[in-house]
Structure formats: C-alpha cells, structure tokens
C-alpha cells in the first residue's frame, strides 16, 4: 500500500513512524518552515501546483490513499486534497487534533476580525501568536505587538510598534508566564491550534487574567472522514492495507 501523508505536524511525524516500514509512506511538507523536523521514510517538500498538479501527482505516483495531517489552518491544502480524492475515488482521511475548549476567549472567524476586536477593546500590549502570515491583519491597529513566529513576517506586513520573537514550540508554562509578565501583555491573540505544544500560553494567560482573542478553525470540507488521534489513523490505514 502506498500512502500520501500530508504533514508538517507532530501527529503526522508520529503517524509516519507508526506506519513505517510496513506501509510505504510519502510524507509531504509545504516547505514554508526552514529546517523542519523530518518524519521517517520518504519525504517530498513543496507544493503540488494546485488541484491539477495534485491530481496528476497522485496518478503518476500510483498512490492508494491520502491521509491529511496538516495544520488545522491549512485550509487550501485540505480542500484540494478532499476534492481530488473524491474525483479519483481515493480513500481519504483527515487527522485533525481536537481544538482547545474556548472557555472565556473571544472567538472570531478570521485574523481580520481578531484585529478589529483588538482595536475595539482598546488593548495596548498584545501577544500575537497567529504565525507569520497573521501579522498583516494587524498592521493598522494602534497597539504594541509581541509577535512570535517560526519565520519572520514580511516587513511590509508588520504593525508600526512591535517586537518579534522567532522560536518554535513546544513551550512551557513557566516560560510563557514570564514572557507575559516581562512584556506587560494585556491581550493574547491565538489560533485554536489544539494540542499540548502551544497550550501553555493559554494557561499562563488564564493565570494572569489576560483576555484571549481566539481565531476559530476553518471548517473541514463536507463529507470527509475524520479522526482525532494517531491511533485511530493507524487503524484506518491498517483496515485498507
């Protein structure tokens, strides 16, 4: 059996390790992060060239099934995979880690709405953790931003007042607590990524009474099969091998 595993997450790496070498797995990474953590087995890096490119690649590589374990906000890749697999009648699974319970967070649908909320609430010192592409929505907001990302945002996308921290999780509660205190943060903006690697920032914000603005996940395509754990994904693949 030959599997295309759309990856880039810790779950994807764990799944590749569980399946290899009994199942032939080709892990695909988008290539947006320098020096990524690589899974075991065969790896390809870079895009497919949209729906047409993905369709042709799956045919050329004679792939038997696709498992999408991309980041919950990789909506374009997820939509393309769902459309092509439906067209080709390929077995297709989405491994989506459970979201965090929003609690008292202000939940908004997009980065743009998050920026409007920050401005409307009058927050002055904001910890922005929506990734390099999320900074652009906050460019015109009159606040100071602590921006954390793996790679730096484009200079043209940055708010006027900001400080950039380049780092990659996992993060620890004590470190997040110290960061919020050091920079006198009065609001946290986060995507609802789920998982344990970046959860400590929410716990630290709750401990300090810092409000959270949370960007909700994009919806999954209609009709896709989904699981919430690596164990379930292994069972799904094993049932088709």
């Amino acid at each position: 059996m030959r599997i295309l595993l759309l990856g880039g997450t810790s779950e994807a790496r764990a799944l590749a390790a569980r399946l290899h070498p009994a199942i032939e797995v080709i892990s695909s990474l988008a290539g947006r992060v320098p020096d990524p953590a690589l899974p075991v087995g065969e790896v390809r890096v870079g895009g497919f060239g949209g729906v047409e490119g993905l369709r042709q690649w799956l045919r050329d590589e004679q792939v038997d099934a696709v498992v999408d374990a991309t980041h919950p906000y990789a909506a374009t890749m997820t939509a393309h995979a769902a459309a092509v697999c439906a067209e080709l009648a390929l077995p297709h699974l989405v491994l989506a880690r459970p979201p965090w319970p929003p609690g008292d967070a202000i939940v908004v649908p997009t980065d743009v709405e998050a920026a409007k909320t920050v401005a409307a609430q009058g927050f002055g010192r904001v910890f922005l953790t929506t990734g390099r592409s999320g900074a652009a929505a906050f460019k015109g907001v009159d606040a100071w931003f602590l921006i954390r990302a793996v790679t730096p945002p484009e200079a043209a996308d940055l708010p006027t007042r900001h400080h950039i921290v380049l780092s990659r999780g996992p993060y620890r509660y004590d470190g997040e607590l110290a960061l919020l205190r050091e920079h006198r943060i009065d609001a946290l903006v986060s995507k609802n990524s789920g998982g344990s690697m970046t959860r400590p920032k929410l716990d630290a914000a709750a401990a300090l009474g810092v409000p959270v603005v949370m960007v909700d996940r994009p919806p999954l395509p209609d009709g896709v099969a989904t699981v919430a754990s690596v164990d379930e994904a292994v069972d799904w693949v094993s049932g088709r091998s």
Side-chain angles (χ1 to χ4, degrees):
M1 189 177 188
R2 191 168 169 85
I3 297 284
L4 171 64
L5 175 54
L6 301 172
T9 60
S10 59
E11 291 86 0
R13 292 190 294 275
L15 180 57
R18 291 278 298 276
L19 298 176
H20 180 83
I23 303 286
E24 185 178 1
V25 177
I26 306 170
S27 294
S28 177
L29 308 181
R32 298 191 183 115
V33 176
D35 191 26
L38 295 177
V40 298
E42 185 177 346
V43 179
R44 68 171 303 279
V45 178
F48 291 93
V51 169
E52 292 183 4
L54 177 59
R55 182 193 303 116
Q56 191 61 50
W57 189 91
L58 290 171
R59 285 173 170 161
D60 291 345
E61 295 296 325
Q62 298 182 330
V63 167
D64 298 304
V66 175
V67 178
D68 180 349
T70 55
H71 192 275
Y73 290 79
T76 299
M77 185 70 254
T78 295
H80 288 178
V84 172
C85 288
E87 178 186 337
L88 299 180
L90 273 180
H92 171 231
L93 179 73
V94 175
L95 169 54
R97 72 176 73 128
W100 296 313
D104 295 330
I106 303 169
V107 179
V108 296
T110 64
D111 291 334
V112 171
E113 290 302 317
K116 291 179 180 178
T117 299
V118 167
Q121 295 287 331
F123 296 129
R125 299 182 66 83
V126 180
F127 186 21
L128 182 58
T129 64
T130 53
R132 71 185 302 271
S133 62
F138 297 83
K139 182 177 179 180
V141 177
D142 184 18
W144 179 89
F145 292 91
L146 175 64
I147 302 172
R148 185 164 70 191
V150 177
T151 56
E154 297 293 333
D157 294 337
L158 290 169
T160 301
R161 295 182 291 137
H162 68 270
H163 176 70
I164 297 176
V165 175
L166 299 181
S167 68
R168 182 182 299 168
Y171 300 103
R172 297 175 61 88
Y173 172 77
D174 290 346
E176 299 292 71
L177 199 66
L179 192 68
L180 294 176
R181 284 173 169 159
E182 176 188 352
H183 293 282
R184 307 189 311 281
I185 296 300
D186 61 9
L188 165 67
V189 179
S190 173
K191 292 179 177 178
N192 193 343
S193 300
S196 60
M197 291 182 64
T198 57
R199 168 79 204 195
K201 64 186 175 185
L202 298 178
D203 297 331
L208 297 177
V210 172
V212 175
V213 180
M214 187 173 288
V215 181
D216 204 3
R217 293 184 178 189
L220 291 172
D222 292 337
V224 297
T226 63
V227 295
S229 71
V230 172
D231 285 344
E232 292 173 293
V234 170
D235 290 343
W236 184 88
V237 172
S238 299
R240 284 155 180 78
S241 61

